[in-house]
Amino acid sequence: MKKLNRRKFLKLSGLAAGTSLLAACAPKNAAPASTAMPGMAMGAAPTAAPSANFAPDLEIALKATSGAAQILPGKPTNVWRYAANVVKGDPGAVVTLPETYTGPIIRAKKGQKVRVTFTNDLPAGQPSIVHWHGLIVPQAADGHPMYQIDAGKTYVYEFEVGNRAGTYWFHPHTHGKTGLQVNKGLAGLFIVSDPEQDALALPSGEFDLPLVIQDRTFDADNQFVYDVQNMSGMNHDMGSMNMNAMMQGMMGFLGDRILVNGKPDFALSASTRAYRLRLLNGSNSRIYKLAWSDGTPITVLGVDGGLLDKPISKKYVMLAPAQRAEIWLDLSGRKVGDEITLESLAFETGETGGMMMGGGSAPALGQPMRILKVKVDKQSAETLKLPDKLTALTPLQTSEAGNAAAPRQFKLTLNGMTWLINNRQFEMDKAAADEVVNLGATEIWEFSNEKNPGAMMDANGMAHPIHMHGVQFNVLSREVLPDLKPIRDTVMDGIVDEGWRDTVLVMPGEKVRVIVRFTMPGRFLYHCHNLEHEDQGMMRNFDVKPLSA
Ligand code: C2O
Ligand code: CU
Ligand code: CU
């Protein structure tokens, strides 16, 4: 893949070195991102102190802190990581992965009341807040950046686990700094179990394996490189601009190495039996097209919001940032000594700028990469069989949507170097009139990935993984512009639209409709989960308004 150098880029963009990019980059129609202090929305007070009338079944002390991890041979890598311990309840509810920065894994049961006391022990200048991705929790427990706390401060979360069994996760949601903080290592899993799932004969214990997939770049000193310049709404002096940082600020961070659970060249030493692998794409922006190297289909058990009604078999599976895929890996027919690799296959992205520029040394989005290796090295007598039925799902139906005749529209566009939703950027303390829904309403939301005629780069748009807080939804339909269909079709067979989702991949030229019921009142976020897009403002609030209000 050819990369443009700075001079070629300047020529392409019609700018001379030293020229201010202000004219080209400032969003023309975008509302400015608010710098005002966050107001209290919807009357929900932030939980600053534990409340007397909340009796937790599980109480956890969670800290975001600096440390070092032995990732590569030689010098340890400076990281930021979460550390947790159980204050009250099952001591097994927090599992710390040894010698890595990812994690911990919090294990909770549906219906449990959870209190998490979060302490920000990051360096000064790094406010933070924890978001429980995929969980449907009250506004004050959802980790909106309006609640971010400075280093040295504490924030108390209290919520009941209402979600069904599934693989959820948590990460920082700091204003403009989510990408950096996740990249430095802050991400953990929140695994929910429930009696229905416990009754299924699925692999458990060490055979039920969470695998967090991330890409990273290291410098010669084994340190993470996060070379990203936020390109929104600033006066960019091209003369002093670092091209790679600018591109990654606009397109998303891409690393040149894959880490799994924080480890390079991850190899799973496995037995001849079935495994349940819980895959999370914890990357800032990289999308994976996952396939087994020997052509074995991927058996999908579940997605973001838990199990599917029955397992489905795919040649490959697309996993966009923040998405989860639970897969069944049956090694019972294998021999000790066999090896199988999980790979990310090549696909088209439609990017006109990114394809050429990539991210410095890193493979461009859509380039093949190796994810992990499974080495069969132990014999097992276990003979678990893949169940043909997992659960009964009742997805929402179009007929239940109050706005079925006129779905709510969200246009994803590029203005200058800034990605927008309905021509707007994030505003901390505002939701527009068309971003207010009624509590209990069922609606269709349509995300439309528009072309950007005349855009300096990426006239076709980019793939955007769109995420909504405070809900799980079902995907109803996908349409694609005829001329971008060939690009979209390089991923289509790996799209899993079955089941409950909180994040949906919207490819260039696609219109994706989701159906969603709003069951939690308050102010929540929806945004692109390409973390650099999110940080530069491809995020908005929506309000779920109680009917009495
Ligand atoms: Cu995992 Cu608002 O995101
Ligand atoms: Cu989320
Ligand atoms: Cu995006």
Side-chain angles (χ1 to χ4, degrees):
M1 200 56 52
K2 206 173 86 221
K3 296 204 166 111
L4 289 188
N5 61 28
R6 183 163 159 276
R7 198 158 32 87
K8 285 215 191 101
F9 167 78
L10 292 170
K11 198 159 158 244
L12 180 88
S13 60
L15 293 162
T19 310
S20 162
L21 260 188
L22 184 62
C25 296
K28 284 182 277 285
N29 307 314
S34 169
T35 50
M37 279 308 292
M40 248 0 90
M42 317 289 296
T47 318
S51 46
N53 55 3
F54 184 89
D57 304 297
L58 178 61
E59 189 169 352
I60 291 169
L62 177 72
K63 196 165 70 168
T65 189
S66 335
Q70 192 71 54
I71 302 174
L72 301 176
K75 197 164 178 206
T77 305
N78 296 321
V79 298
W80 293 341
R81 59 153 69 100
Y82 288 118
N85 62 282
V86 175
V87 175
K88 174 176 182 259
D90 177 6
V94 168
V95 181
T96 301
L97 298 170
E99 290 167 56
T100 184
Y101 64 85
T102 56
I105 301 164
I106 296 176
R107 291 186 180 272
K109 295 184 170 57
K110 183 177 178 182
Q112 275 186 327
K113 289 201 168 80
V114 179
R115 174 183 292 149
V116 179
T117 306
F118 168 63
T119 303
N120 179 1
D121 189 34
L122 296 175
Q126 292 296 329
S128 202
I129 192 74
V130 180
H131 166 57
W132 311 97
H133 182 121
L135 294 185
I136 301 173
V137 298
Q139 171 186 325
D142 192 54
H144 191 288
M146 73 169 99
Y147 299 126
Q148 69 192 32
I149 52 167
D150 286 332
K153 296 272 188 304
T154 287
Y155 190 92
V156 180
Y157 294 86
E158 290 175 337
F159 57 87
E160 183 172 331
V161 179
N163 286 63
R164 60 197 289 261
T167 309
Y168 307 94
W169 66 298
F170 58 98
H171 60 77
H173 224 299
T174 311
H175 183 57
K177 289 189 157 73
T178 298
L180 168 70
Q181 294 188 359
V182 171
N183 201 268
K184 281 286 267 182
L186 293 167
L189 290 164
F190 194 104
I191 295 181
V192 176
S193 62
D194 64 19
E196 188 198 1
Q197 190 171 132
D198 292 347
L200 289 168
L202 293 173
S204 61
E206 62 176 299
F207 308 104
D208 173 359
L209 265 179
L211 298 168
V212 180
I213 305 170
Q214 298 176 313
D215 59 337
R216 290 291 183 271
T217 298
F218 294 87
D219 67 13
D221 214 23
N222 286 357
Q223 303 307 308
F224 287 148
V225 178
Y226 184 70
D227 187 21
V228 169
Q229 172 67 54
N230 184 329
M231 293 308 293
S232 69
M234 313 165 39
N235 190 344
H236 306 297
D237 175 7
M238 291 293 291
S240 60
M241 189 61 70
N242 167 338
M243 284 306 297
N244 183 53
M246 196 176 88
M247 288 315 300
Q248 296 211 111
M250 179 194 168
M251 315 293 291
F253 168 87
L254 293 171
D256 59 11
R257 282 194 88 130
I258 298 293
L259 305 183
V260 174
N261 293 345
K263 298 284 181 196
D265 308 313
F266 187 92
L268 173 67
S269 134
S271 311
T272 56
R273 51 157 293 155
Y275 283 77
R276 174 185 190 173
L277 306 181
R278 299 177 187 251
L279 309 176
L280 160 67
N281 182 350
S283 310
N284 284 46
S285 87
R286 193 177 288 282
I287 301 165
Y288 303 102
K289 178 177 178 176
L290 300 172
W292 293 114
S293 52
D294 64 353
T296 303
I298 295 197
T299 303
V300 182
L301 300 173
V303 291
D304 304 347
L307 294 179
L308 303 174
D309 58 349
K310 54 177 187 310
I312 56 174
S313 175
K314 294 273 190 191
K315 275 197 303 230
Y316 60 87
V317 169
M318 296 307 297
L319 202 64
Q323 289 188 319
R324 286 83 73 204
E326 295 193 21
I327 67 174
W328 172 275
L329 171 61
D330 189 0
L331 300 173
S332 62
R334 310 258 170 180
K335 292 187 301 295
V336 169
D338 280 1
E339 278 190 11
I340 175 170
T341 302
L342 185 65
E343 290 173 339
S344 183
L345 307 177
F347 61 95
E348 298 288 325
T349 65
E351 290 166 18
T352 47
M355 282 298 277
M356 292 181 283
M357 303 238 194
S361 58
L365 185 65
Q367 291 298 105
M369 291 181 93
R370 165 181 288 192
I371 307 295
L372 59 87
K373 196 183 271 183
V374 177
K375 291 181 173 170
V376 182
D377 58 11
K378 287 178 292 276
Q379 201 64 46
S380 166
E382 177 61 67
T383 55
L384 270 184
K385 284 274 158 305
L386 178 67
D388 356 282
K389 182 91 198 133
L390 296 168
T391 182
L393 283 190
T394 40
L396 296 167
Q397 302 297 321
T398 303
S399 57
E400 298 175 78
N403 68 348
R408 221 176 262 265
Q409 309 263 335
F410 299 90
K411 294 196 188 315
L412 315 176
T413 56
L414 176 67
N415 192 333
M417 295 188 81
T418 305
W419 299 98
L420 303 172
I421 302 177
N422 278 346
N423 248 336
R424 301 175 182 123
Q425 268 188 289
F426 180 58
E427 294 171 280
M428 183 70 86
D429 53 5
K430 282 196 187 67
D434 57 5
E435 294 171 314
V436 179
V437 303
N438 288 325
L439 180 63
T442 302
E443 294 200 356
I444 298 173
W445 283 29
E446 180 182 279
F447 298 103
S448 173
N449 201 338
E450 306 276 301
K451 283 196 175 186
N452 302 285
M456 173 165 85
M457 285 180 292
D458 286 292
N460 287 340
M462 268 187 81
H464 300 289
I466 299 295
H467 169 50
M468 295 174 74
H469 287 216
V471 297
Q472 290 282 332
F473 53 74
N474 303 118
V475 180
L476 279 180
S477 64
R478 289 174 185 272
E479 275 171 37
V480 65
L481 296 174
D483 61 324
L484 295 179
K485 187 171 184 294
I487 290 166
R488 195 283 306 267
D489 286 353
T490 66
V491 307
M492 191 58 191
D493 289 345
I495 299 268
V496 181
D497 280 338
E498 291 86 350
W500 292 97
R501 285 257 178 225
D502 53 56
T503 307
V504 65
L505 178 60
V506 186
M507 289 292 287
E510 268 194 325
K511 260 192 212 329
V512 176
R513 286 185 174 190
V514 306
I515 184 163
V516 50
R517 180 167 294 158
F518 301 93
T519 57
M520 187 61 80
R523 173 162 287 177
F524 296 97
L525 297 161
Y526 66 106
H527 60 90
C528 179
H529 220 289
N530 174 320
L531 296 183
E532 286 66 42
H533 291 184
E534 172 184 334
D535 279 343
Q536 63 94 69
M538 197 181 191
M539 171 160 81
R540 293 287 302 172
N541 290 319
F542 70 95
D543 286 343
V544 181
K545 197 170 49 107
L547 282 176
S548 54

